[in-house]
């Protein structure tokens, strides 16, 4: 028999740095989840992605057990890392803050395609290029 789902939590937690302090502890504690068990499992799964805030979707069951799915880092964070930026442009139409090559764009596509709503790499590159443009990052050959 399938477990009964009582809730789904979506959080963004620094990779490899989950701990029982807010916001993780209170969000999990009010649903009766073993906080330390989650923190250890999350940290183990995300230790290779340090430096990013990782989106995680936690499914809570009636018997207080849980499962979680770790997503890829946000697209803006991947673009900023690849273009060596601290932040995007305040006015992306007038102020360009960086550039990405097509090869760098395809590296981001390879990482992020599992979280996008397409399996076509060409379409995924257009989605990511649009996000880069809105941050003031140009795509070059």
């Amino acid at each position: 028999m399938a477990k009964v789902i009582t809730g789904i939590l979506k959080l963004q937690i620094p990779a490899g740095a989950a701990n029982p302090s807010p916001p993780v502890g209170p969000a999990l504690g009010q649903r009766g989840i073993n906080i330390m068990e989650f923190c250890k499992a999350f940290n183990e799964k995300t230790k290779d992605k340090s430096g990013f805030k990782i989106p995680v979707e936690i499914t809570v069951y009636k018997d207080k057990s849980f499962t979680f799915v770790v997503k890829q880092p946000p697209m803006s964070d991947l673009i900023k890392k690849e273009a060596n930026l601290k932040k995007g442009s305040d006015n992306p139409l007038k102020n360009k803050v960086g550039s990405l090559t097509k090869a760098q764009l395809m590296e981001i596509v390879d990482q992020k395609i599992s979280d996008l709503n397409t399996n076509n790499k060409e379409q995924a590159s257009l989605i990511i290029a649009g996000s880069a443009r809105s941050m003031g990052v140009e795509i070059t050959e």
Side-chain angles (χ1 to χ4, degrees):
M1 190 165 96
K3 292 183 178 182
V4 177
I5 296 173
T6 59
I8 295 176
L9 286 167
K10 293 182 181 181
L11 300 172
Q12 280 196 1
I13 307 169
N19 57 39
S21 65
V24 178
L28 299 178
Q30 70 187 12
R31 289 176 172 75
I33 295 175
N34 183 334
I35 299 166
M36 287 311 296
E37 182 182 333
F38 169 77
C39 289
K40 286 178 185 174
F42 178 82
N43 290 341
E44 182 62 33
K45 205 168 197 180
T46 61
K47 65 184 174 190
D48 60 330
K49 297 177 185 173
S50 64
F52 289 112
K53 278 197 165 198
I54 304 294
V56 61
E57 190 172 291
I58 307 162
T59 305
V60 183
Y61 300 102
K62 190 172 185 175
D63 64 354
K64 306 294 185 206
S65 64
F66 65 91
T67 58
F68 66 95
V69 177
V70 176
K71 307 282 185 171
Q72 292 298 316
M75 199 176 315
S76 59
D77 289 353
L78 294 172
I79 292 168
K80 286 189 292 188
K81 180 182 179 218
E82 203 63 45
N84 294 322
L85 300 173
K86 291 205 184 291
K87 65 177 195 163
S89 174
D90 58 344
N91 187 347
L93 294 176
K94 293 183 180 176
N95 303 332
K96 302 298 181 191
V97 293
S99 65
L100 289 176
T101 64
K102 292 273 188 189
Q104 290 174 312
L105 184 69
M106 293 314 285
E107 284 180 34
I108 297 172
V109 167
D110 291 339
Q111 276 187 287
K112 193 69 179 168
I113 197 161
S114 63
D115 290 347
L116 298 176
N117 61 357
T118 182
N119 291 329
N120 183 332
K121 285 191 175 194
E122 191 60 39
Q123 289 298 313
S125 70
L126 293 175
I127 293 169
I128 294 170
S131 293
R133 264 193 310 278
S134 71
M135 293 173 63
V137 176
E138 293 180 310
I139 306 299
T140 60
E141 295 300 317

